[in-house]
Coordinates of all heavy atoms in Angstrom, one line a residue:
K1074 N 21.6 0.0 72.2 CA 22.4 -0.4 73.4 C 23.9 -0.1 73.1 O 24.2 -0.2 71.9 CB 22.2 -1.8 73.8 CG 20.6 -2.1 74.0 CD 20.1 -1.4 75.2 CE 18.7 -1.6 75.4 NZ 18.0 -0.5 76.0
P1075 N 24.6 0.1 74.1 CA 26.0 0.4 74.0 C 26.8 -1.0 73.4 O 26.2 -2.0 73.6 CB 26.6 0.7 75.3 CG 25.6 0.1 76.2 CD 24.3 0.1 75.5
L1076 N 27.9 -0.7 72.7 CA 28.7 -1.8 72.2 C 29.9 -2.2 73.2 O 30.7 -1.2 73.4 CB 29.2 -1.4 70.8 CG 30.2 -2.4 70.2 CD1 29.5 -3.7 69.8 CD2 30.8 -1.8 68.9
A1077 N 29.9 -3.3 73.6 CA 31.0 -3.7 74.6 C 32.1 -4.2 73.6 O 31.9 -4.9 72.7 CB 30.6 -4.9 75.4
F1078 N 33.4 -3.7 73.8 CA 34.6 -4.2 73.1 C 35.8 -4.2 74.0 O 35.9 -3.5 75.0 CB 34.8 -3.2 71.8 CG 35.3 -1.9 72.2 CD1 36.6 -1.6 72.0 CD2 34.4 -0.9 72.6 CE1 37.1 -0.3 72.3 CE2 34.9 0.4 72.9 CZ 36.3 0.6 72.7
T1079 N 36.7 -5.2 73.7 CA 37.9 -5.4 74.4 C 39.0 -5.3 73.4 O 39.2 -6.2 72.6 CB 37.9 -6.6 75.1 OG1 36.7 -6.7 76.0 CG2 39.1 -6.9 76.0
P1080 N 39.8 -4.3 73.5 CA 41.1 -4.2 72.5 C 42.0 -5.4 72.7 O 42.2 -5.8 73.8 CB 41.8 -2.9 72.8 CG 40.7 -2.1 73.6 CD 39.8 -3.1 74.3
E1081 N 42.6 -5.8 71.7 CA 43.6 -6.9 71.7 C 44.9 -6.4 72.2 O 45.7 -7.1 72.8 CB 43.8 -7.5 70.3 CG 42.5 -8.3 69.9 CD 42.7 -8.9 68.5 OE1 43.8 -8.9 68.0 OE2 41.6 -9.3 67.9
K1082 N 45.3 -5.1 71.9 CA 46.6 -4.5 72.3 C 46.4 -3.2 72.9 O 45.3 -2.6 72.7 CB 47.4 -4.2 70.9 CG 47.9 -5.4 70.3 CD 48.8 -4.9 69.1 CE 49.1 -6.1 68.1 NZ 49.9 -5.6 67.0
T1083 N 47.3 -2.7 73.8 CA 47.2 -1.4 74.4 C 47.8 -0.4 73.4 O 49.0 -0.6 73.0 CB 48.1 -1.5 75.8 OG1 47.4 -2.2 76.6 CG2 48.1 0.0 76.2
K1084 N 46.9 0.4 72.9 CA 47.4 1.4 72.0 C 46.3 2.5 71.8 O 45.1 2.2 72.0 CB 47.7 0.8 70.6 CG 46.6 0.3 69.8 CD 47.2 -0.3 68.5 CE 46.1 -0.5 67.5 NZ 46.6 -0.9 66.2
P1085 N 46.7 3.7 71.3 CA 45.7 4.8 71.1 C 44.9 4.4 69.8 O 45.4 3.9 68.8 CB 46.5 6.0 71.0 CG 47.9 5.6 70.8 CD 48.0 4.2 71.2
R1086 N 43.6 4.8 69.8 CA 42.7 4.6 68.7 C 41.8 5.7 68.6 O 41.4 6.4 69.5 CB 41.9 3.2 68.8 CG 42.7 2.0 68.8 CD 43.3 1.6 67.4 NE 42.4 1.5 66.3 CZ 41.9 0.4 65.8 NH1 42.1 -0.6 66.3 NH2 41.0 0.5 64.8
W1087 N 41.3 6.0 67.3 CA 40.2 7.0 67.1 C 38.9 6.3 67.2 O 38.6 5.3 66.5 CB 40.4 7.6 65.7 CG 41.5 8.5 65.6 CD1 42.7 8.2 65.1 CD2 41.7 9.9 66.0 NE1 43.6 9.3 65.1 CE2 43.0 10.3 65.7 CE3 40.8 10.8 66.7 CZ2 43.3 11.5 65.9 CZ3 41.2 12.0 66.8 CH2 42.5 12.4 66.5
L1088 N 38.1 6.8 68.1 CA 36.7 6.2 68.4 C 35.7 7.1 67.7 O 35.8 8.3 67.8 CB 36.5 6.0 69.8 CG 37.4 5.0 70.5 CD1 36.9 4.8 72.0 CD2 37.3 3.6 69.8
C1089 N 34.8 6.5 67.1 CA 33.7 7.3 66.4 C 32.8 8.0 67.3 O 32.4 7.4 68.3 CB 32.9 6.3 65.5 SG 31.5 7.1 64.7
Q1090 N 32.5 9.3 66.9 CA 31.5 9.9 67.8 C 30.3 10.5 66.8 O 29.4 11.0 67.4 CB 32.2 11.2 68.4 CG 33.1 10.8 69.5 CD 33.6 11.9 70.3 OE1 33.2 12.0 71.5 NE2 34.3 12.8 69.7
C1091 N 30.5 10.3 65.5 CA 29.4 10.7 64.7 C 28.3 9.6 64.7 O 27.2 9.8 64.2 CB 29.9 11.0 63.3 SG 30.4 9.6 62.2
K1092 N 28.7 8.4 65.1 CA 27.8 7.2 65.3 C 27.4 6.7 63.9 O 26.4 6.0 63.8 CB 26.6 7.6 66.1 CG 27.0 8.1 67.5 CD 28.0 7.3 68.2 CE 28.4 7.9 69.5 NZ 29.5 7.3 70.2
Q1093 N 28.1 7.0 62.8 CA 27.8 6.5 61.5 C 28.8 5.5 60.9 O 28.7 5.0 59.9 CB 27.6 7.7 60.5 CG 26.7 8.8 60.9 CD 25.3 8.3 61.3 OE1 24.6 7.6 60.5 NE2 24.7 8.7 62.5
T1094 N 29.8 5.2 61.7 CA 30.8 4.3 61.3 C 30.3 2.9 60.9 O 29.4 2.5 61.5 CB 32.0 4.2 62.3 OG1 33.0 3.3 61.8 CG2 31.4 3.5 63.6
K1095 N 31.1 2.3 59.9 CA 30.7 0.9 59.5 C 31.7 -0.1 60.4 O 31.6 -1.2 60.2 CB 30.9 0.7 58.1 CG 30.0 1.7 57.2 CD 28.6 1.3 57.3 CE 27.8 2.1 56.3 NZ 27.1 3.3 56.9
D1096 N 32.5 0.5 61.2 CA 33.6 -0.3 61.9 C 33.5 0.0 63.4 O 34.5 0.3 64.0 CB 35.0 0.1 61.3 CG 36.1 -0.9 61.8 OD1 35.7 -2.0 62.2 OD2 37.2 -0.4 61.9
A1097 N 32.3 0.1 64.0 CA 32.1 0.4 65.4 C 32.9 -0.4 66.2 O 33.1 -1.6 66.0 CB 30.7 0.3 65.7
P1098 N 33.5 0.2 67.3 CA 33.4 1.6 67.6 C 34.5 2.4 67.1 O 34.6 3.7 67.4 CB 33.8 1.4 69.2 CG 34.8 0.3 69.3 CD 34.3 -0.7 68.2
Y1099 N 35.3 1.9 66.1 CA 36.4 2.6 65.6 C 35.9 3.6 64.4 O 35.1 3.3 63.6 CB 37.5 1.7 65.1 CG 37.9 0.8 66.1 CD1 37.6 -0.5 66.1 CD2 38.6 1.3 67.3 CE1 37.9 -1.5 67.1 CE2 39.0 0.4 68.3 CZ 38.7 -0.9 68.2 OH 39.0 -1.8 69.2
C1100 N 36.6 4.7 64.3 CA 36.3 5.6 63.2 C 36.8 5.1 61.9 O 37.9 4.6 61.8 CB 37.1 7.0 63.5 SG 37.0 8.2 62.2
D1101 N 36.0 5.2 60.9 CA 36.3 4.8 59.6 C 36.3 5.9 58.6 O 36.5 5.7 57.4 CB 35.4 3.7 59.1 CG 33.9 4.2 58.9 OD1 33.6 5.4 59.1 OD2 33.1 3.4 58.5
G1102 N 36.3 7.2 59.1 CA 36.4 8.3 58.2 C 35.0 8.8 57.7 O 35.0 9.8 57.0
T1103 N 34.0 8.2 58.1 CA 32.6 8.6 57.7 C 32.4 10.0 58.0 O 31.5 10.7 57.3 CB 31.5 7.6 58.2 OG1 31.8 6.3 57.8 CG2 30.1 8.0 57.7
H1104 N 32.9 10.6 59.1 CA 32.6 11.9 59.6 C 33.1 12.9 58.6 O 32.7 14.1 58.6 CB 33.3 12.1 60.9 CG 34.8 12.1 61.0 ND1 35.5 10.9 61.0 CD2 35.7 13.1 60.7 CE1 36.7 11.3 60.9 NE2 36.9 12.6 60.7
L1105 N 33.9 12.6 57.6 CA 34.3 13.4 56.6 C 33.2 13.8 55.5 O 33.3 14.8 54.8 CB 35.5 13.0 55.9 CG 36.8 12.8 56.7 CD1 37.9 12.1 56.0 CD2 37.2 14.1 57.3
D1106 N 32.1 13.0 55.5 CA 31.1 13.2 54.6 C 30.4 14.6 54.9 O 30.3 15.0 56.1 CB 30.0 12.2 54.7 CG 30.4 10.8 54.2 OD1 31.5 10.7 53.6 OD2 29.7 9.8 54.5
V1107 N 30.0 15.3 53.8 CA 29.4 16.6 54.1 C 28.1 16.6 54.9 O 28.0 17.5 55.8 CB 29.0 17.2 52.6 CG1 28.2 18.5 52.8 CG2 30.2 17.4 51.8
E1108 N 27.3 15.5 54.8 CA 26.1 15.4 55.6 C 26.4 15.4 57.1 O 25.7 16.0 57.9 CB 25.4 14.1 55.3 CG 24.1 13.9 55.9 CD 23.4 12.6 55.6 OE1 24.0 11.7 55.2 OE2 22.1 12.6 55.8
I1109 N 27.5 14.8 57.5 CA 27.8 14.7 58.9 C 28.6 16.1 59.3 O 28.3 16.6 60.4 CB 28.8 13.5 59.2 CG1 27.9 12.3 59.0 CG2 29.3 13.6 60.6 CD1 28.7 11.0 59.0
Q1110 N 29.5 16.6 58.5 CA 30.1 17.8 58.9 C 29.2 19.0 59.0 O 29.5 20.0 59.7 CB 31.2 18.2 57.8 CG 32.4 17.3 58.0 CD 33.1 17.4 59.3 OE1 33.4 18.5 59.7 NE2 33.3 16.3 59.9
T1111 N 28.0 18.9 58.3 CA 27.0 20.0 58.5 C 25.9 19.6 59.4 O 24.9 20.4 59.6 CB 26.4 20.4 57.1 OG1 25.9 19.2 56.5 CG2 27.5 20.9 56.2
A1112 N 25.9 18.4 60.1 CA 24.9 18.0 61.0 C 24.9 18.8 62.2 O 25.9 19.3 62.6 CB 25.1 16.5 61.3
V1113 N 23.8 18.8 62.9 CA 23.6 19.5 64.3 C 24.1 18.4 65.3 O 23.5 17.3 65.4 CB 22.3 20.0 64.5 CG1 22.2 20.7 65.8 CG2 21.9 21.0 63.4
E1114 N 25.1 18.7 66.0 CA 25.5 17.8 67.1 C 24.3 17.6 68.1 O 23.7 18.6 68.5 CB 26.8 18.3 67.8 CG 28.0 18.2 66.9 CD 29.3 18.6 67.6 OE1 29.2 19.0 68.7 OE2 30.3 18.5 66.9
G1115 N 24.1 16.4 68.6 CA 23.0 16.1 69.5 C 21.7 15.8 68.7 O 20.7 15.6 69.4
Q1116 N 21.8 15.8 67.4 CA 20.5 15.4 66.6 C 20.8 14.3 65.8 O 21.9 14.0 65.3 CB 20.1 16.7 65.7 CG 19.7 17.9 66.5 CD 18.5 17.7 67.3 OE1 17.5 17.1 66.7 NE2 18.4 18.2 68.4

Side-chain angles (χ1 to χ4, degrees):
K1074 301 298 177 212
L1076 173 69
F1078 72 102
T1079 307
E1081 294 176 12
K1082 295 181 187 177
T1083 295
K1084 70 178 192 176
R1086 294 290 304 261
W1087 289 101
L1088 297 183
C1089 176
Q1090 294 192 111
C1091 73
K1092 310 304 175 188
Q1093 308 302 313
T1094 183
K1095 303 289 186 264
D1096 189 26
Y1099 305 108
C1100 173
D1101 66 0
T1103 302
H1104 66 275
L1105 298 172
D1106 292 349
V1107 172
E1108 183 181 24
I1109 294 170
Q1110 285 301 305
T1111 57
V1113 177
E1114 290 182 357
Q1116 296 292 319

